[in-house]
Amino acid sequence: VAEVQERLIQQELSRVSSCVKIWYYDTNHQSNYALQLREDVIYPDAVVEGTTITAAAPVTKLLDINGKLVCGDAWGAIRIFELSSSQGSSEESNNNNAISRRQCAFLQFGGGSSSIACMEQVVGKHILLAVSIEPAVQRDSNSRMVYPLATSFRVPSPRGVYIVDTKESTVKAVLDNVHNDTVRCMCSLPDGGLLTAGGKMDATVRVWDSFDFDNASPLVKEDLDGATDEMQVVTNSKILDQPGYVFDLKVLPDSNGSGVYAVAAARYNVIKIVI
């Protein structure tokens, strides 16, 4: 009986970890109570493992890009949703159906062999998404979880950072061959650049110039069918002397509007400020 209960608990935890729950707050709600709360659940897509449909992957990262919800999972998939509400009557506005959700992009890195480790919006002329990946945990050597409806990207670097054009669903550039461990956190800079921080085996923070995203040399790779495609590869980056291994990075703009900024870095029980 205990084994059955444990199996049921694990199945429920697996199901819950694959879903995203959304709470909507209505700031126009007229009452003496707090903001009105609405709920929605994003359920996972089916995954094909050989000829068998299996459970979906746990969600690993969430990100907001200009009001769009970006969901990354443990099998390298990224789903982007647009959320909108209708401007109907007050009776309609009290109905959960007044809020709609539409999936506008569905991508997957590495055909199920990679996992999404970190995501960050890159500030610039276009809406770009920086995606850090790492090898996915496989149940066996032949296990590869594939989403049949996703736009698939090959992964030339198992621990690279991929700059994705979310509007076109294309990889614009690959930040490659620099970090010795998975990039665990990233931070977009006001000038369009990007900070990337590697894990413990790397312990460095690197800064990337946005100019290099658009002016990198092409990297041509050949897939299993002999077909080739091109990815822009970027290797030119600068290592910051400080702060070393960190858990998170945030930009601190000058309150006087000078354009000068500092970077706050969380490192164990201290926060370092790099100017």
Side-chain angles (χ1 to χ4, degrees), residues 181-195:
D181 199 353
T182 300
V183 171
R184 292 298 177 187
C185 67
M186 296 183 285
C187 181
S188 180
L189 300 177
D191 61 0
L194 182 70
L195 293 177

Side-chain angles (χ1 to χ4, degrees), residues 101-241:
R101 167 170 49 85
R102 182 180 72 88
Q103 182 170 290
C104 56
F106 190 14
L107 319 171
Q108 186 177 24
F109 289 87
S113 63
S114 300
S115 176
I116 304 300
C118 184
M119 299 188 298
E120 177 75 7
Q121 180 180 358
V122 179
V123 178
K125 296 180 180 179
H126 307 286
I127 299 177
L128 300 177
L129 174 66
V131 180
S132 166
I133 64 170
E134 62 182 333
V137 177
Q138 304 290 348
R139 289 178 293 181
D140 57 69
S141 59
N142 298 319
S143 177
R144 291 172 64 88
M145 306 302 184
V146 178
Y147 292 95
L149 300 180
T151 299
S152 181
F153 296 120
R154 292 180 304 101
V155 174
S157 174
R159 288 184 172 85
V161 174
Y162 295 77
I163 307 300
V164 180
D165 186 328
T166 57
K167 184 177 181 180
E168 301 296 333
S169 294
T170 57
V171 174
K172 192 172 183 64
V174 184
L175 313 185
D176 196 14
N177 296 327
V178 285
H179 286 289
N180 295 320
D181 199 353
T182 300
V183 171
R184 292 298 177 187
C185 67
M186 296 183 285
C187 181
S188 180
L189 300 177
D191 61 0
L194 182 70
L195 293 177
T196 58
K200 285 186 176 181
M201 300 303 294
D202 178 79
T204 64
V205 175
R206 292 177 177 264
V207 58
W208 305 82
D209 193 325
S210 61
F211 178 82
D212 293 328
F213 299 164
D214 298 318
N215 297 275
S217 59
L219 173 67
V220 180
K221 291 287 185 178
E222 184 173 298
D223 62 22
L224 296 178
D225 298 323
T228 60
D229 62 1
E230 292 187 355
M231 288 185 180
Q232 300 291 335
V233 60
V234 179
T235 59
N236 183 30
S237 64
K238 177 183 177 182
I239 299 179
L240 299 183
D241 294 334

Side-chain angles (χ1 to χ4, degrees), residues 243-257:
Y245 176 58
V246 298
F247 299 106
D248 201 3
L249 297 163
K250 295 297 178 186
V251 168
L252 303 176
D254 182 6
S255 59
N256 294 323

Side-chain angles (χ1 to χ4, degrees), residues 18-60:
S18 302
C19 300
V20 176
K21 193 166 186 178
I22 304 173
W23 288 267
Y24 298 98
Y25 291 87
D26 185 358
T27 57
N28 297 318
H29 184 59
Q30 302 296 324
S31 74
N32 295 325
Y33 299 99
L35 300 179
Q36 185 177 2
L37 182 65
R38 301 174 182 176
E39 297 183 6
D40 188 16
V41 178
I42 299 178
Y43 293 98
D45 293 77
V47 179
V48 176
E49 183 183 6
T51 59
T52 304
I53 297 179
T54 186
V59 174
T60 57

